Amino acid sequence: MSAPERIPPRSVTTADLLAHGELTVRGRIREASNAALFCTVAYEGQEASCVYKPVAGERPLWDFPDGTLAGREVAAYEVSEATGWQLVPPTVLRDGPYGEGMCQLWIDVVPDAGLLALVDDEEPGPGWKAIGLAEVGEGRTALLVHADDERLRRLAVLDAVINNADRKGGHLLPAGGGRLYGIDHGVTFNVDDKLRTLLWGWAGEPLTDEAVRVLGTLKETLADGGALAGRLAGLITPAEIDATRARVDALLASGRHPEPGGEWPAIPWPPV
């Protein structure tokens, strides 16, 4: 009689770990405006650090009355994955010690990445894009600039698609291997234009060929019956999905990065 076939152990993906692992709260992230807990998650011998934001700890927002911050965080991850750029850390919606919430992989940041700077010149130097003037104390102002970096440019396109109302410098996480992630996407997907970002350096400039291809893919997968539309259902409202489709269509029609609209503050406060 032959020995039974050995079935190799199933590899644990990051999504498995975040969605099914045991969450252990290690502390609170005090800088966050809503409840954000630093945790470890363990599953089938694998362990990682993560951020858990329970819906129960969210403060109501008058201009985002529908859905939850957690749902929009996961929706932003799903759109990021559909672009193929992987600009948002792996993020799931799951139950936890304080009820349903968002669980996101913790990213160790590489210091001194050189993404933002203040300069005394009136124009940005080579390799930099102007954001605007900033007060630096004692009646002085300086020019706030961001790097002319393809990773930031991709993130600017993603923010335009998801209508990010809060892209601050502290939400940019440079990681090992040259990776760059964006976090804190709770105020996104509004049906009204609320784009507020530090990444205005390409405003009005033509989109890259890569961005146009990615937007074309998003248009297809956001259509009724498309894979991304299905994943977004239940995370954001049907009206917000329609508004996302409209933003993708508008970007493709213009072929350019959006410019500040003037009806909403263009730069979040504080900017960093």
Side-chain angles (χ1 to χ4, degrees):
M1 182 176 181
S2 61
E5 181 182 358
R6 292 181 60 86
I7 300 175
R10 182 175 66 88
S11 60
V12 176
T13 67
T14 302
D16 290 333
L17 182 60
L18 293 174
H20 306 298
E22 181 180 358
L23 273 177
T24 302
V25 177
R26 303 296 185 185
R28 181 170 183 177
I29 302 172
R30 297 189 178 276
E31 297 83 0
S33 56
N34 294 275
L37 305 173
F38 178 72
C39 302
T40 54
V41 59
Y43 182 65
E44 294 190 358
Q46 301 293 319
E47 184 172 302
S49 298
C50 62
V51 177
Y52 162 55
K53 297 181 180 180
V55 172
E58 297 180 3
R59 298 178 182 178
L61 297 174
W62 67 268
D63 52 344
F64 285 82
D66 299 318
T68 64
L69 303 181
R72 290 188 287 270
E73 293 249 28
V74 179
Y77 167 72
E78 293 290 356
V79 175
S80 169
E81 287 298 286
T83 67
W85 288 334
Q86 297 180 318
L87 294 168
V88 179
T91 312
V92 302
L93 194 66
R94 59 161 292 169
D95 195 27
Y98 299 102
E100 185 178 63
M102 178 277 278
C103 184
Q104 184 175 81
L105 185 69
W106 178 266
I107 300 298
D108 291 320
V109 175
V110 175
D112 302 323
L115 297 176
L116 299 170
L118 285 167
V119 297
D120 290 328
D121 297 329
E122 295 182 359
E123 297 292 335
W128 296 92
K129 291 285 190 177
I131 301 169
L133 293 174
E135 295 184 6
V136 293
E138 299 180 355
R140 293 179 55 247
T141 59
L143 184 65
L144 181 61
V145 297
H146 66 68
D148 188 2
D149 185 309
E150 69 173 4
R151 301 169 301 171
L152 291 179
R153 191 166 190 172
R154 290 170 175 171
L155 196 57
V157 174
L158 176 66
D159 283 344
V161 170
I162 66 176
N163 198 15
N164 192 352
D166 195 32
R167 174 60 73 207
K168 297 177 180 176
H171 300 165
L172 305 173
L173 303 186
R179 297 296 304 272
L180 177 70
Y181 295 99
I183 61 168
D184 284 353
H185 297 108
V187 286
T188 49
F189 295 101
N190 203 293
V191 296
D192 297 323
D193 179 15
K194 292 186 180 291
L195 184 60
R196 290 195 304 173
T197 176
L198 285 180
L199 305 180
W200 287 117
W202 299 280
E205 293 188 14
L207 296 166
T208 64
D209 291 342
E210 177 195 47
V212 171
R213 290 194 299 271
V214 165
L215 289 167
T217 299
L218 286 181
K219 180 180 177 68
E220 293 178 4
T221 194
L222 276 169
D224 286 336
L228 180 56
R231 290 195 295 272
L232 294 180
L235 296 172
I236 58 177
T237 68
E240 289 167 335
I241 294 175
D242 286 341
T244 304
R245 294 183 180 117
R247 288 190 294 270
V248 170
D249 288 343
L251 287 166
L252 286 169
S254 72
R256 294 181 178 274
H257 287 268
E259 299 182 82
E263 298 181 2
W264 184 260
I267 298 175
W269 187 261
V272 181

